[in-house]
Amino acid sequence: MERDVAIIGVGMIPWGRYPDPKNPTAYPERTMPEMAVEAIKRALEDAKISWRQVEAMVAGVYLWVSQQAGVHGILSGTAIANLMGYTGIPIVSVANACATGQSILREAVLAVASGECDIALAVAADKSAFGFFRPQSTDAKADIDYIRFVMCGETNPAYWAMECRRRMYEAGTTEEDLALVKVVTSKPAPHNPYARYQRTFTLEEVLKSPMVCDPLRLLMICSTSDGAAAVVVCEYEKAKKICKKPVYINAVTVGTPSFGDPTVRLTYTSSFKKPGVPTLSESRNAVQRVYKMAGLTPDKIDVIELPDNSSWHYFAYLDCILNLDPGEPEKMLRQGDLDPITGKIPVCPSGGIGAFGEAVVAQGLAQVCELVWQLRGEAGQRQVKKDLRHALAQTYGYAGNNAATILSKGW
Amino acid sequence: MNGEALIKKEKKKVPIVEGLFTWPSDKPALIAARCKKCGAIVFPKAAYCPNPDCEKDPGNMEVIELSRRGKLWSWTIQRYSPPPPFKMEPFKPYAIGLVDLPEGIRVLGMLATTENLRCDMEVELTVGKLYEDGENEYITWMWKPVEDVSKK
């Protein structure tokens, strides 16, 4: 990059439902732009700068606009600025499914790295707390997602379950392994005030939870949530002057699929397979690129936030991130190597998406917030018990959209 | 009860979305497009070849019928009803599978049964009803295990 970039402030609001009739004080009625304002406020406080000092903003675009929010869910950036107060800065709104959070971080980083500005903000708010995702049109001529849904009845967990069953068939993953993912990732959840489910789960509870899509049970699948997060980035030399613990951005990128990948991605009905092209190529392409950009290898990563949308994801993304064969992550989990706090390679010290429920476009930024707190040593009782240098976050690849980020201590 | 059942005529079977499989037919097949230059196949059919190295010329794409038999790569059972626009009346848990066809394409689809399914078993294309009204039965493509056919 032309100029180095660091994170000088992060902020998020607790994940849940806005409003939550059971707890209206903590979760009042809020629109998505209002949720975004709260996240921005916290990130600016953390960075000790004012809204006027933000020179560019990138906002996440809401996916379910036919259900709520409408056009302002798409033109989210200016809808948020309308509430913050217009300052005339460049604002862009970006839609990239699960990868949105880190896609907008990338755009903010590029704005600073290119010299367009010194301080930029990435923000995303999301209201996805309504159960199974669905197509956003009834257009059988133009919307393959609609065709897939009405002709095949495929929900997101159904797709994950098919991948999971094949993994069990080929790599010997057991039902107990799938349950253990929830048990282990929920350990830090009681200590994360931003998590929606601040509790732990036992193996028995997970194995007795209702079957949703065989072999995946309810507690092996993440729920869907409302949430918002914001990250302030700054040119690195300037960041060192105005911030005690700037978090250096080694790399942030977006991955898309390779032609010939056998994965039949959500929203699609088929794939054309070419020999030698791996599955989840969008994820492999993203993670390999961040390693290359950062000049690092998997063994240099000290802590990971990955997309545990289901127990299958947890294992499949460890394959991608640590370059393992299916079956190896399962073994590491059983040995305790992946414990979120005490593991050799702590995974999901935030409690993961299992503890949050996915607020789709904001989730990638929530991962980055957690890694920033971990690197600064500010994660309280869920602080990873090892010396941290490099931290990696990766999101899921809904419809072929993936993103990954590597961060390190910049002080 | 009142004899209505006796005069009930057979309803017309109508695909929920037209043009995805050959219909009406005793041996329905999925309709796809294949690139005459590189052999890449897309389902549903598309105007352009998805190969990044192929020229984007709609003239290269020919409409083909896919093989009716393949191998079940994996499957699951959807235990809860998906939200609209999916419609199945009455809802009952159904299986969904990913099927590898000899042409090198993997295709999604519901399965005609939830029983005795296993990875790599041979399956064949059929159709099945999801809902009906006074006039028609509304159908989609489904995969059924080949072994089940021999039992009938």
Side-chain angles (χ1 to χ4, degrees), chain A residues 349-388:
Chain A
S350 69
I353 298 178
F356 275 77
E358 190 178 20
V360 182
V361 307
Q363 207 64 45
L365 281 188
Q367 293 178 320
V368 169
C369 290
E370 176 66 16
L371 294 181
V372 166
W373 289 318
Q374 289 288 344
L375 286 165
R376 289 185 193 156
E378 295 171 358
Q381 285 189 75
R382 64 179 196 285
Q383 182 67 45
V384 165
K385 294 204 183 335
K386 74 185 264 196
D387 186 33
L388 299 179

Side-chain angles (χ1 to χ4, degrees), chain A residues 12 35 65 118 130-131 153 189 213 233 239 283 311 335 356 362 377 384:
Chain A
M12 56 191 287
M35 291 159 64
V65 287
D118 286 343
F130 53 73
C213 292
V233 298
S283 307
S311 295
Q335 289 171 349
F356 275 77
V384 165

Side-chain angles (χ1 to χ4, degrees), chain A residues 200-266:
Chain A
T200 57
F201 291 86
T202 65
L203 209 57
E204 196 186 5
E205 272 179 289
V206 183
L207 288 171
K208 280 189 175 166
S209 66
M211 190 65 86
V212 177
C213 292
D214 315 40
L216 292 176
R217 294 176 181 274
L218 188 64
L219 292 176
M220 298 169 181
I221 303 168
C222 72
S223 70
T224 52
S225 286
D226 302 346
V231 174
V232 185
V233 298
C234 180
E235 189 277 318
Y236 185 46
E237 293 307 320
K238 184 171 181 170
K240 281 192 282 191
K241 287 183 197 128
I242 64 173
C243 176
K244 260 201 248 168
K245 291 183 174 179
V247 170
Y248 185 76
I249 302 173
N250 296 73
V252 52
T253 197
V254 168
T256 58
S258 301
F259 174 63
D261 178 344
T263 311
V264 179
R265 296 187 162 71
L266 283 164

Side-chain angles (χ1 to χ4, degrees), chain A residues 188-348:
Chain A
H191 310 299
N192 192 341
Y194 298 102
R196 182 174 177 188
Y197 307 102
Q198 294 173 29
R199 53 159 295 192
T200 57
F201 291 86
T202 65
L203 209 57
E204 196 186 5
E205 272 179 289
V206 183
L207 288 171
K208 280 189 175 166
S209 66
M211 190 65 86
V212 177
C213 292
D214 315 40
L216 292 176
R217 294 176 181 274
L218 188 64
L219 292 176
M220 298 169 181
I221 303 168
C222 72
S223 70
T224 52
S225 286
D226 302 346
V231 174
V232 185
V233 298
C234 180
E235 189 277 318
Y236 185 46
E237 293 307 320
K238 184 171 181 170
K240 281 192 282 191
K241 287 183 197 128
I242 64 173
C243 176
K244 260 201 248 168
K245 291 183 174 179
V247 170
Y248 185 76
I249 302 173
N250 296 73
V252 52
T253 197
V254 168
T256 58
S258 301
F259 174 63
D261 178 344
T263 311
V264 179
R265 296 187 162 71
L266 283 164
T267 74
Y268 293 92
T269 55
S270 74
S271 64
F272 184 69
K273 301 175 293 170
K274 299 280 275 186
V277 182
T279 59
L280 290 178
S281 55
E282 70 281 346
S283 307
R284 293 173 202 278
N285 288 335
V287 79
Q288 283 165 18
R289 191 148 49 236
V290 282
Y291 281 132
K292 196 175 167 200
M293 289 166 74
L296 293 168
T297 45
D299 58 301
K300 297 286 191 294
I301 299 302
D302 299 310
V303 58
I304 294 167
E305 281 285 326
L306 56 69
D308 55 322
N309 295 65
S310 75
S311 295
W312 164 72
H313 289 74
Y314 182 89
F315 293 126
Y317 276 84
L318 284 166
D319 294 349
C320 293
I321 293 166
L322 298 177
N323 199 19
L324 302 172
D325 288 329
E328 288 181 305
E330 285 87 336
K331 199 176 156 198
M332 291 171 75
L333 179 70
R334 286 179 223 135
Q335 289 171 349
D337 295 347
L338 306 173
D339 186 284
I341 295 169
T342 60
K344 268 190 220 162
I345 309 164
V347 175
C348 294

Side-chain angles (χ1 to χ4, degrees), chain B:
Chain B
M1 296 276 272
N2 52 17
E4 263 179 37
L6 298 173
I7 55 164
K8 196 171 140 190
K9 62 170 187 175
E10 201 170 315
K11 289 180 182 175
K12 196 177 163 196
K13 289 180 165 56
V14 178
I16 296 165
V17 176
E18 303 270 3
L20 298 169
F21 52 89
T22 54
W23 193 256
S25 168
D26 291 338
K27 291 187 172 177
L30 296 174
I31 300 166
R34 178 172 57 200
C35 175
K36 287 187 254 182
K37 295 275 158 96
C38 80
I41 300 170
V42 283
F43 170 77
K45 58 185 196 284
Y48 298 97
C49 175
N51 185 336
D53 303 314
C54 254
E55 54 186 313
K56 301 300 138 186
D57 178 357
N60 288 348
M61 299 303 279
E62 58 180 353
V63 174
I64 59 161
E65 291 178 16
L66 294 176
S67 297
R68 300 187 57 251
R69 280 198 181 191
K71 267 168 82 174
L72 184 62
W73 184 76
S74 190
W75 55 277
T76 184
I77 296 171
Q78 177 73 33
R79 304 263 170 186
Y80 296 87
S81 180
F86 179 77
K87 192 168 161 186
M88 179 189 201
E89 292 170 347
F91 172 79
K92 60 177 199 302
Y94 55 88
I96 310 169
L98 290 166
V99 174
D100 282 333
L101 300 182
E103 297 92 325
I105 188 169
R106 181 171 292 168
V107 181
L108 181 68
M110 289 170 76
L111 294 160
T113 177
T114 55
E115 304 290 321
N116 300 318
L117 297 169
R118 54 182 169 76
C119 291
D120 291 338
M121 78 192 303
E122 203 175 356
V123 292
E124 186 176 54
L125 198 79
T126 182
V127 296
K129 180 190 83 172
L130 290 190
Y131 56 95
E132 60 184 69
D133 58 20
E135 305 268 300
N136 304 319
E137 289 186 354
Y138 296 91
I139 60 168
T140 184
W141 78 86
M142 290 187 186
W143 302 99
K144 65 175 177 189
V146 170
E147 286 108 287
D148 279 6
V149 176
S150 59
K151 281 179 199 163
K152 280 180 187 170

Side-chain angles (χ1 to χ4, degrees), chain A residues 84-167:
Chain A
M84 289 300 298
Y86 291 125
T87 56
I89 59 172
I91 294 177
V92 177
S93 305
V94 172
N96 245 4
C98 310
T100 303
Q102 287 165 39
S103 296
I104 60 178
L105 177 63
R106 173 180 176 269
E107 296 300 316
V109 166
L110 291 176
V112 173
S114 69
E116 185 192 38
C117 63
D118 286 343
I119 295 179
L121 177 80
V123 62
D126 196 300
K127 287 194 175 197
S128 284
F130 53 73
F132 291 129
F133 294 155
R134 64 204 73 176
Q136 294 296 297
S137 90
T138 52
D139 183 350
K141 292 257 183 282
D143 187 358
I144 290 175
D145 187 24
Y146 170 76
I147 294 172
R148 168 196 74 116
F149 206 70
V150 298
M151 298 304 269
C152 306
E154 186 204 36
T155 58
N156 288 18
Y159 167 68
W160 305 338
M162 288 188 278
E163 288 279 1
C164 189
R165 181 183 302 284
R166 189 71 194 189
R167 187 181 182 96

